[in-house]
Amino acid sequence: MSSSPRRDRPDRLRRWWAGWSLRRRLVLAVVALLALVSVGIGGLTTVALRHFLISQVDDQLAMGDRRHDSRLPWERAPDQQRPSDQVTSRQPEPPPTFQVGSIGVRVTPQGETAARIRTSFSGPTEALSAAEVAPLTSLPTDHRPHTVDLGDRGDYRAAARQLPDGDILVFAIPLDVVQETVWWMVVAQAGVAAAGLLIAGSLGAVIVRVTLRPLNRVAATAGRVAELPLDRGEVALSVRVPAADTDPRTEVGQVGAALNRMLGHVAAALAARQASETRVRQFVADASHELRT
């Protein structure tokens, strides 16, 4: 009993699909195919764009890591540090080329964590608590970029390395710009796809209507033949499909030519029937005359 509705569902779908005109089904099939292609192309383009943008962020992390080797204050010898460097040498400043929201984290072997976030390109950085950057402190020190979720701050692309003194340095760049760019790409693709499907559906309906005109003329010829009284009397079956619609190179032309041949056979049969009826009436008339005589 429970499987009966499941079997009836495909039947109802087939009946619903069969109730549509050929023109509507063709247009719908073309639009559905274009929509599928648009979704596929849009998906691949979006994935490729996101991969490219993240690769750029990874390259920026790698460049910042290289700059760190020669420019960061805590890598300088004590006699080479300026007084300001000695104050901030334990504070991990994100490189100035990193975008706003970038984070630098330094973790000592004793578990002490210092973190700073860049709030503007030219202004000073701000300190962060150890709890806010806890996911960054557990990254493997393999120099490879990893995606890290920092809660309310969103996703970051981060890379960690271990310094010669045993400290762990982590740089993290926010992915909000990447995600915003990807979302704008998705919205643009959706708008372009919707406009393209609307135009394709309208043009497809016009093209299908023009293409099916010969089939409509063949159907009109069959309709005129169906209205003729073929069961009695003399019938002049002169209705035929126009010669323009009987081209054997096309499907509609093949149908038109077959209909003309069928009408020819029907006309011959009707003529034979009419001749037979005429002979019968003549025989009856002659017999009645002879009987009266």
Side-chain angles (χ1 to χ4, degrees), residues 109-185:
Q110 293 76 23
E112 298 177 358
T113 301
R116 301 193 69 83
I117 183 171
R118 181 168 297 283
T119 57
S120 64
F121 282 109
S122 57
T125 59
E126 296 180 1
L128 295 176
S129 64
E132 292 180 283
V133 296
L136 296 177
T137 60
S138 59
L139 286 176
T141 56
D142 54 1
H143 298 222
R144 296 181 181 178
H146 301 271
T147 301
V148 181
D149 183 9
L150 292 185
D152 295 338
R153 296 188 182 276
D155 292 337
Y156 274 71
R157 197 71 172 169
R161 64 169 298 171
Q162 190 167 15
L163 303 180
D165 59 1
D167 290 358
I168 296 176
L169 180 66
V170 182
F171 285 146
I173 298 178
L175 294 179
D176 52 352
V177 176
V178 173
Q179 294 172 348
E180 183 179 358
T181 304
V182 171
W183 277 114
W184 273 112
M185 174 62 72

Side-chain angles (χ1 to χ4, degrees), residues 12 28 51 100 113 132 147 163 174 176 200 202 216 235 265 274:
R12 289 197 301 269
L28 181 61
H51 179 73
V100 175
T113 301
E132 292 180 283
T147 301
L163 303 180
D176 52 352
S202 302
N216 294 333
V235 180
H265 296 328
Q274 180 64 25

Side-chain angles (χ1 to χ4, degrees), residues 85 143 291:
D85 291 338
H143 298 222
L291 290 175

Side-chain angles (χ1 to χ4, degrees), residues 244-255 257:
D245 300 329
T246 58
D247 190 350
R249 295 174 298 179
T250 64
E251 290 79 1
V252 177
Q254 294 173 6
V255 174

Side-chain angles (χ1 to χ4, degrees), residues 21 34 41 51 61 65 107-108 120 123 139 141 148 187 210 213 220 240 262-263 271 283:
S21 64
L34 289 177
I41 294 176
H51 179 73
L61 281 173
D65 201 17
V107 182
T108 65
S120 64
L139 286 176
T141 56
V148 181
V187 172
V210 173
R213 281 179 181 174
R240 293 291 186 276
M262 183 187 68
L263 292 176
F283 172 76

